Structure formats: C-alpha cells, structure tokens
Amino acid sequence: MHGLGLVVVSLALVVALIGTVGYIVFLSDDAFKSTPNEVEPTKEMVEEIVFYESGRDLPYFRQELIDPKSEEGIGIASLLTRKLHELNLQAKCVLSEEDIQEIKQNDRAAELIFKKPIDITTSQWVEPEERYHIPVDEKGYRILENVKTALFILEDNQDRGLEGHILVGSERKERDEKCSWEITQEDIEKLGPCEGSVGYVFSDEYGCSAVFGCYYDSEIVPFKTKDECEFACGRMWGCWAIQQKDSNELDKNWIEGINRILAEMKSKEIAAKDKIIVGIEAGPIARECFNKSYLIETSDYIIDGTVEKVDEKADMEKGIYSYVYLTIDGYFKGKPLLVKEKVADMLQINVSVRAPYNFTPYEDKKVRIYLRKWSEGDIRVFCGHYGIEEILEPAKEVPTMTDIPHLTPQPGEYFTYRGNKSQILLNDSRLKYCFIELNDICPPNAANVGDLGIVITGTIKNEYDRDYYICMAAHAFNSEGEQIGHSIDPGPVCGIIAPYVKSGQTGDFELHLKYREDIERIELFVGCVSEIPPP
C-alpha cells in the first residue's frame, strides 16, 4: 500500500491535472491515416450517448440522453467513433473522476459509453524504441485498451485549454481484490460510531467513498487515501486530441458537426408539434401584477410546460424580438387550446420588440405561464415577467426543519412601521427548509441554485382604510444579536417583496433566505406602505 501511494505522489509531481495542457507526440508522416474499417464495429458497441451543457450565460446544468439507435444518434456515434480512431496527439494530463464530474457540470460535452470495454486503434504512430511499454498493432499504431467511455469537449467554459480534446476513460485490467468488495451496514457497525475517517472503499456506483469508524477490523482494511483508492480501483482518464496534417492546429471541425446534428434534431422536434402562437403583453406593468392572487384570478389560461428552445434571431420587419417554443405539460386553469381540432401540444411565444423579455434563462426548464385573451384568436402572456415563473423540481428531498429559528413578530401581532405600531397584522406564518430556485435569487451572488434555504410563508391583513402595497423583508440574526443574513427575493427592489393588499383583506407573502446553521432568530419587517407600486 505504501508503494502504491508513492506512485500516486510521483504522478502528481510529473503530471499537471487539467492545468496547462502539454503534449506527448509520436508522429511521423504515417501518423495521419484513416481507419474506415475500424469505425463500423466500434460504432455498434455504443450503448449510450449523453450530452452535457452548462456555461457562463446558462444559469443551469442539463444532461440529455440521445438514443444511439435514432437517426441523430447513429450520426453522432458514427462521427465520434471515427474521431476516436483518428486520435494522434496525447496531452500530458491524467484526470480523476472528480475532475471529470467537474467538467461535466461546467463545460459542454458529449459522452460515448460503450457496452463493454473495447480496444481502439488510433492514428498515433509509435516509434519502435517506445513500443516496449505502449500497446500497438502490427503496423505500430497506438492501441487504447479497455476503453469504456470517451468524453468529447465541445466548449471549455473553465478556460483550461480543453476545447476540442477527447478524454478517454479506460477500465483497469487488474484491480485490487478490495475494489470489487462493498462495505455493508454491518461492516460500518463493526467499525463503530466515530467521526474520524479510517479510509476509503470503492464501488462501481459511487467510486471511492470515505469510511468512518473508531478502529480497524481485521477483515476491513480500506485504502488509506482517496488517491490510492482512485489509482488502484478507479477509471483512468487520459487527454487526447487530433492534430491536423501539416499544421500545429487541432482538428475541431467535429464540434461543428455535432452542433449541426443537435440543431437539426431540435428543429425536427419543434416542427413535428401542433402549436398555438401567442404574444407577450407590452407596455407598463399594472400594479396588480405584484399580487399572485390577481394573476391567478385574472388569467384565462395557466399552463405548465417546458421551454424547448429560445430563438433570439430578431425579425425587425415583423417587430419580433425572439421566438420561444414551449411544450405544454398540463393546464392549471382554462380549457385545453385547440389547433386543427386537436389539443395543442406546443406554444410558440412571439416576443415583440416593444416587450423584449429574455426567455433564455428558462430554456430547457419547466415553467408556469399566465395567459389572457385580448381579442378573438389573440392570446398573450400578461403582466410581463410576472406572467412566467420557473417550476424547479427538487432533485433531492428537502430536510425537515428541527431547530426552528424564532420568528418575530408572532402571528396575531402587528408590524412596526416608522417606529410606530402599524395597522398591518401578521395573520399567520410558517417556516421550512427549501432548495433555492433561480427566481428566488436577487442579486445574482446572493445564493446559488440548489443551495439550502429557508422559506417563510404566511398571510398579512391590511387594517388601514385604503388599499396598499406592503413592502416586506426578513433579516436573520445569530445568538449574539448580529445580523448574518437577509431575504434574497427579486421583488421591486432586491430582497424586498411588495404584495398588494386591499383594505380589510388579507394577502399572501413568501420570503427566502439562504440557510446558515447559526441563524437563531428571523425578523420580518415592513419597509413601506404605499398606494403606488414601489420602484
């Protein structure tokens, strides 16, 4: 085990993990060869094609499976397996599973996963004196052994010089006996309840995971470090690329090929659906739009759907800013819309230059939109950006709140406004954990999508003799009385919401804070009582 650790350390000293990419080159004039006979059998071995997308201007991460037996899947598999056989340039970097997951989460990439590990003959010709430790075919071309998956980097959003590179994941031929052994609950109980890690064990599903316990069992001897576990058991990833003939440039033309296939696939999906064309309301936003109850009551249709595509190509002659294509998942309110006597399964939202609302952050997301009939055959999204909201399906279960922070004021108490008791009553309130969604966040750096948060919901009553907008916010304090957080909602002003409540009636409110374990008390307060909408 100690020798293995030294190997890992020496690799770390020699090899840069992702950083500046260097290359090991074994090229001759014969290195640029085509291997058409190799492509077809390799293509048939593809089991899954996965597309990953993220980016600086894309505030979300998506993962999409493409059927390798579909027309587009066959095209992608054929193109990418051909590129695997054309590999002729090896970069000096070795990547761990953590590195690969980071790339999938932050970059744009396509992954081929094979039904079983295969050997791939590349176009890298190896000098005879180097062949003693490098597998080659009878002509001296490099063979990549036991390839299980290949990750093609379409766009490098982390500026690490990996765009156009192909990361090849190979299974290890000989694994330590412990690598196929998984620890059980009984094993953990033997180790005893202790916070200290005794090492790491490997499983195909989770990779190398920490094991906690107070002492070593004679039959349970995990790897001492995660590096040792990864080196002995994990998948080894190598960096490769294709150098163009008679040039120092890398071949990146296959990126355009993949993008073209994906765009054609998306266009076919959209063209095949029956759609209703709607617009989006232009002009000033009515003050009632701040109130969710008004949206629900006034809408003729409330539709849940998925934004499939946002085409930002403006058509100035028609006064169009962008075209938005939304697949209808269900109706929250209103009868189903019909096209050619069939229930429409898609909406096309034409965003005018008079209301150039940006739908791009909602692409590939589930949303709820509020529609109104304006005239015969004219349906529009109304209340501007208040007429569309994201529906974020939680990827994990929200934990139950056990230590509930103290909330002031308490239900039945009046808010203080400008140092005096107001006539705004806190009718009721509830606290629970939540996962922060995109439309909960303002300013952008207040939290990240998916962060654990606290949501405060309830109702307030307006006992004034006039209808008012009630500006509300929340501050969080620790046990020392220091303010350590505040509401992050994107209301009329960042961190403030402004429900519109008529005289003598109640209105709903919802506020969000980023979770901190040292929050001891949360204070709700009223910042304005106004007859006109807050700026």
Side-chain angles (χ1 to χ4, degrees):
M1 196 64 72
H2 295 291
L4 185 58
L6 290 174
V7 173
V8 175
V9 172
S10 63
L11 275 175
L13 293 173
V14 174
V15 178
L17 294 182
I18 301 183
T20 303
V21 179
Y23 294 95
I24 302 173
V25 184
F26 301 97
L27 295 178
S28 71
D29 290 339
D30 297 328
F32 300 93
K33 73 166 187 172
S34 175
T35 54
N37 296 332
E38 309 266 2
V39 173
E40 285 304 314
T42 306
K43 182 183 71 176
E44 295 303 317
M45 289 297 293
V46 175
E47 181 176 37
E48 287 184 5
I49 302 172
V50 188
F51 178 66
Y52 305 93
E53 185 166 23
S54 185
R56 298 181 182 89
D57 301 321
L58 199 65
Y60 60 91
F61 163 73
R62 84 170 173 176
Q63 176 177 323
E64 180 180 359
L65 282 172
I66 298 174
D67 183 1
K69 295 181 180 178
S70 66
E71 180 182 349
E72 293 78 12
I74 291 172
I76 292 173
S78 179
L79 172 59
L80 296 186
T81 51
R82 183 181 301 112
K83 293 304 168 184
L84 283 176
H85 289 291
E86 292 177 11
L87 294 175
N88 57 21
L89 196 61
Q90 183 181 8
K92 293 192 295 183
C93 62
V94 178
L95 311 178
S96 70
E97 283 293 335
E98 288 183 358
D99 298 324
I100 296 300
Q101 291 306 316
E102 184 177 341
I103 289 170
K104 290 179 179 179
Q105 289 285 334
N106 294 284
D107 297 334
R108 190 166 171 268
E111 183 178 27
L112 292 185
I113 301 173
F114 296 102
K115 297 174 184 177
K116 62 180 182 180
I118 63 173
D119 294 343
I120 293 177
T121 302
T122 71
S123 294
Q124 184 192 64
W125 187 80
V126 181
E127 297 287 350
E129 60 269 22
E130 299 287 344
R131 296 176 190 174
Y132 71 95
H133 70 286
I134 297 175
V136 297
D137 68 1
E138 66 278 3
K139 297 180 181 179
Y141 289 98
R142 175 75 176 265
I143 296 175
L144 301 181
E145 296 183 310
N146 298 307
V147 174
K148 177 60 178 174
T149 182
L151 192 65
F152 297 76
I153 310 300
L154 306 175
E155 188 176 305
D156 177 9
N157 296 313
Q158 302 178 80
D159 297 326
R160 293 183 291 188
L162 287 175
E163 184 175 295
H165 286 72
I166 300 167
L167 312 182
V168 178
S170 301
E171 298 286 13
R172 300 182 184 277
K173 276 187 175 181
E174 298 178 1
R175 293 188 173 197
D176 190 288
E177 291 180 0
K178 290 184 293 184
C179 293
S180 60
W181 169 78
E182 291 196 37
I183 196 164
T184 65
Q185 184 62 37
E186 183 181 353
D187 295 329
I188 294 174
E189 291 173 359
K190 287 181 182 178
L191 291 168
C194 183
E195 295 182 358
S197 171
V198 298
Y200 295 80
V201 294
F202 177 84
S203 71
D204 288 328
E205 184 175 2
Y206 300 108
C208 292
S209 304
V211 182
F212 297 89
C214 288
Y215 62 90
Y216 285 95
D217 187 275
S218 59
E219 296 179 359
I220 304 172
V221 185
F223 293 97
K224 291 182 179 179
T225 68
K226 191 169 186 178
D227 283 343
E228 289 183 359
C229 181
E230 289 281 4
F231 188 81
C233 307
R235 184 170 297 160
M236 178 180 287
W237 293 83
C239 302
W240 289 82
I242 303 169
Q243 182 179 338
Q244 298 180 27
K245 189 174 183 179
D246 300 324
S247 172
N248 291 325
E249 298 295 322
L250 298 185
D251 174 19
K252 297 184 181 181
N253 292 330
W254 53 269
I255 297 178
E256 296 180 6
I258 292 297
N259 290 337
R260 184 168 56 252
I261 294 173
L262 292 172
E264 290 173 355
M265 181 173 66
K266 186 69 71 175
S267 298
K268 287 180 181 178
E269 290 175 359
I270 292 172
K273 297 182 177 181
D274 293 318
K275 58 180 179 290
I276 292 284
I277 297 177
V278 303
I280 183 167
E281 182 183 6
I285 298 175
R287 64 181 186 178
E288 292 85 3
C289 291
F290 292 102
N291 193 330
K292 182 60 67 64
S293 298
Y294 169 78
L295 279 168
I296 295 172
E297 292 169 5
T298 313
S299 299
D300 294 307
Y301 305 95
I302 301 177
I303 293 175
D304 290 350
T306 304
V307 177
E308 299 283 354
K309 182 181 178 181
V310 179
D311 187 351
E312 295 182 334
K313 295 179 182 177
D315 187 336
M316 301 306 293
E317 291 184 6
K318 296 181 180 179
I320 299 298
Y321 173 78
S322 65
Y323 299 89
V324 181
Y325 301 93
L326 180 140
T327 299
I328 297 173
D329 298 328
Y331 287 81
F332 186 79
K333 180 183 180 182
K335 294 181 180 179
L337 295 165
L338 300 179
V339 57
K340 298 177 182 178
E341 299 182 352
K342 289 175 55 181
V343 174
D345 55 13
M346 173 164 283
L347 293 181
Q348 176 182 314
I349 304 171
N350 292 349
V351 183
S352 73
V353 293
R354 294 181 60 229
Y357 184 64
N358 181 19
F359 276 86
T360 303
Y362 295 105
E363 195 168 27
D364 294 304
K365 290 184 173 290
K366 292 188 178 296
V367 297
R368 174 167 291 171
I369 60 172
Y370 299 82
L371 306 175
R372 284 185 66 187
K373 294 179 182 176
W374 287 79
S375 60
E376 188 63 33
D378 185 7
I379 301 173
R380 301 183 193 176
V381 180
F382 80 111
C383 280
H385 62 275
Y386 291 97
I388 178 169
E389 60 188 22
E390 181 187 353
I391 304 171
L392 188 64
E393 297 179 356
K396 46 191 174 180
E397 184 180 352
V398 178
T400 302
M401 181 172 278
T402 51
D403 298 326
I404 301 176
H406 181 68
L407 182 68
T408 57
Q410 290 287 297
E413 296 179 351
Y414 289 88
F415 287 90
T416 298
Y417 177 54
R418 292 182 175 177
N420 299 309
K421 179 181 175 182
S422 74
Q423 295 183 48
I424 304 299
L425 176 73
L426 180 62
N427 209 41
D428 61 78
S429 60
R430 295 166 297 280
L431 282 78
K432 67 176 183 179
Y433 288 134
C434 68
F435 291 113
I436 301 296
E437 302 177 8
L438 179 64
N439 56 354
D440 298 333
I441 303 171
C442 182
N445 60 357
N448 296 313
V449 173
D451 284 349
L452 188 61
I454 297 174
V455 58
I456 308 165
T457 58
T459 59
I460 55 175
K461 185 177 181 181
N462 176 10
E463 296 187 355
Y464 288 103
D465 57 2
R466 295 184 183 182
D467 305 341
Y468 285 123
Y469 291 94
I470 313 298
C471 300
M472 297 184 63
H475 287 168
F477 300 87
N478 62 18
S479 58
E480 303 298 322
E482 301 168 326
Q483 184 179 329
I484 55 174
H486 55 80
S487 46
I488 60 174
D489 301 80
V493 178
C494 275
I496 295 176
I497 62 172
Y500 184 70
V501 188
K502 293 184 177 181
S503 174
Q505 297 187 13
T506 60
D508 298 330
F509 71 87
E510 183 174 303
L511 287 162
H512 299 82
L513 299 93
K514 185 175 180 181
Y515 170 78
R516 283 183 52 156
E517 61 182 17
D518 54 344
I519 293 178
E520 188 80 14
R521 178 174 63 87
I522 297 174
E523 179 183 337
L524 301 177
F525 67 91
V526 168
C528 80
V529 177
S530 174
E531 291 186 82
I532 61 174

